[in-house]
Amino acid sequence: MENHGKFKAAVEATPSIRRAYHPGLQALPKADRNRLTDRDLATGSVFVDKTLEDSNLHTNSHRWDYGIGLGNTHVGERILWLETHHAASGETKRVLLKLDWLKSWLRKEAPELNKLPSKFVWLLTNTENNPNDRQRRAQAAERNLLIRAQGTLHLSKF
């Protein structure tokens, strides 16, 4: 299989989301799509949270938002697992619960997706004003191999 198409094939091999693949960034609502640059790198996307919610799967779980296939001719296709979430008090714990859920779901229910190189990104939807909170959140994210970004996310960096 070529570098492009691995993400789509892995999504289609995952029963709970097999029909949720969309070309490019079409699975993301416009507001979240507009937070991203270098959109032409996206080979496909899945709105994991909404797909599972609509299917009444993992209803009481802290579900992750999106999976985005990214193409690059010299690296091959990889996945950016994106959570758009605000950074209010207590939300770091919630995002980390979502990350734990995602990693478990990938191991148990999405082994083909789990095989592809991945990055996990929390895109903050608000501005963090308190430097102590910012530092605490950054440390927690780093311990969990979660990349935090604020404002616009440049897909070319992943």
Side-chain angles (χ1 to χ4, degrees):
M1 181 179 297
E2 297 289 324
N3 283 339
H4 289 66
K6 290 182 179 182
F7 175 69
K8 180 180 182 185
V11 168
E12 291 172 347
T14 305
S16 59
I17 63 168
R18 73 172 162 255
R19 291 186 183 95
Y21 175 87
H22 292 275
L25 294 172
Q26 292 177 21
L28 282 70
K30 186 177 181 180
D32 287 339
R33 206 172 33 236
N34 287 341
R35 298 175 194 276
L36 308 175
T37 66
D38 311 313
R39 295 182 197 132
D40 57 322
L41 293 175
T43 58
S45 55
V46 176
F47 195 160
V48 176
D49 183 27
K50 181 162 181 23
T51 301
L52 296 178
E53 178 183 36
D54 290 350
S55 302
N56 290 317
L57 297 170
H58 301 276
T59 53
N60 296 319
S61 300
H62 296 278
R63 297 179 305 263
W64 197 259
D65 285 340
Y66 311 111
I68 301 170
L70 295 176
N72 183 312
T73 56
H74 68 279
V75 177
E77 200 170 22
R78 62 223 181 271
I79 304 174
L80 174 71
W81 294 104
L82 179 65
E83 176 70 24
T84 57
H85 201 91
H86 60 94
S89 180
E91 294 306 307
T92 300
K93 181 177 179 182
R94 184 176 307 239
V95 171
L96 293 176
L97 287 170
K98 288 175 172 241
L99 180 61
D100 287 345
W101 173 86
L102 175 63
K103 288 179 178 180
S104 175
W105 178 80
L106 287 168
R107 280 190 313 275
K108 295 175 184 174
E109 296 184 38
E112 294 304 310
L113 287 167
N114 200 33
K115 290 178 186 176
L116 294 174
S118 299
K119 298 278 184 185
F120 304 95
V121 177
W122 172 14
L123 181 58
L124 284 72
T125 58
N126 65 327
T127 302
E128 292 180 291
N129 295 320
N130 183 324
N132 293 329
D133 286 347
R134 187 179 318 121
Q135 182 179 16
R136 204 169 49 252
R137 287 185 191 101
Q139 289 169 345
E142 187 176 309
R143 281 192 304 273
N144 288 278
L145 302 177
L146 176 64
I147 299 164
R148 289 176 59 246
Q150 192 167 328
T152 302
L153 187 67
H154 304 281
L155 295 179
S156 61
K157 294 185 178 183
F158 299 95

